[in-house]
Amino acid sequence: FGSSSLQPVHLPLVGPSVALPYALMFQETLAECRSLAEEAAEKLKEVRTAPEGERSSIGAAVLSLLKQADENLIQLQMDAAMAPAGERAKLAREEDQLRAELKKHKEDFQAAQRELLLGDACSKGADKLFLSKEERKRASAVTQSLRKGHDRLKEANQTMAQTEHIGEQTLKELHAQRKVLERVTDRTNDLGQNLNDAQRAVKELEKPQCAVM
């Protein structure tokens, strides 16, 4: 047998290259956000020149594009939070810059909505677009609080309805019992009268009979 020698094992480098997938995904999503925002801006220009009857549908399309951009922004915020520590600050700055750009598009849309009276359907939810991560947390907390308040109010209304139903049933039962008591009282009075009549009849029978001469 020949002598065997250990061969060196080459391990993959772990370092800045680990951040590369995060950076690539982040930049792709960033570009997608800007593309959607620019498409929304072009659509918004069409709103101002379109016939009045078509403005609402175009406005709805603009809002849909902005909402898609917001979904991408949320993904960016998640990617930035999960990125390696050395990349987070840089990605957060880029996300802040993008969010400022997207907010400008949102403000332009809201201004056109007010000016051209596009209707509430074309602006529903626009005020919640392009929030920071902290703003989303606060908005979510407020929504949850409102939902809990609504659930408690709904539960209170159900309890009140049940209580009202029980009260109605109790009144019906009391009314029925009153009728029974009234019938019992009438029968008792009748029995008392019959007893008095019987007692008078007995007394009449107990009187001595006069002899006939």
Side-chain angles (χ1 to χ4, degrees), residues 117-134:
L117 303 176
L118 299 180
D120 293 337
C122 294
S123 61
K124 188 175 182 180
D127 56 329
K128 296 181 181 179
L129 297 178
F130 313 131
L131 302 178
S132 67
K133 192 174 180 180
E134 292 73 20

Side-chain angles (χ1 to χ4, degrees), residues 10 14 20 30 99 118-119 124 140 161 171 181 187 196 205:
H10 298 284
V14 177
L20 188 59
L30 199 75
R99 187 158 45 84
L118 299 180
K124 188 175 182 180
S140 177
L171 286 174
L181 289 173
R187 289 176 183 174
N196 291 334
L205 292 173

Side-chain angles (χ1 to χ4, degrees), residues 54-91:
E54 299 177 7
R55 289 176 181 174
S56 292
S57 60
I58 298 174
V62 174
L63 181 59
S64 176
L65 289 167
L66 292 177
K67 286 183 176 180
Q68 291 178 55
D70 187 57
E71 291 173 2
N72 280 277
L73 178 63
I74 294 172
Q75 185 61 50
L76 278 180
Q77 292 169 337
M78 294 172 60
D79 290 343
M82 294 187 298
E87 292 288 321
R88 289 176 192 167
K90 176 178 178 294
L91 297 183

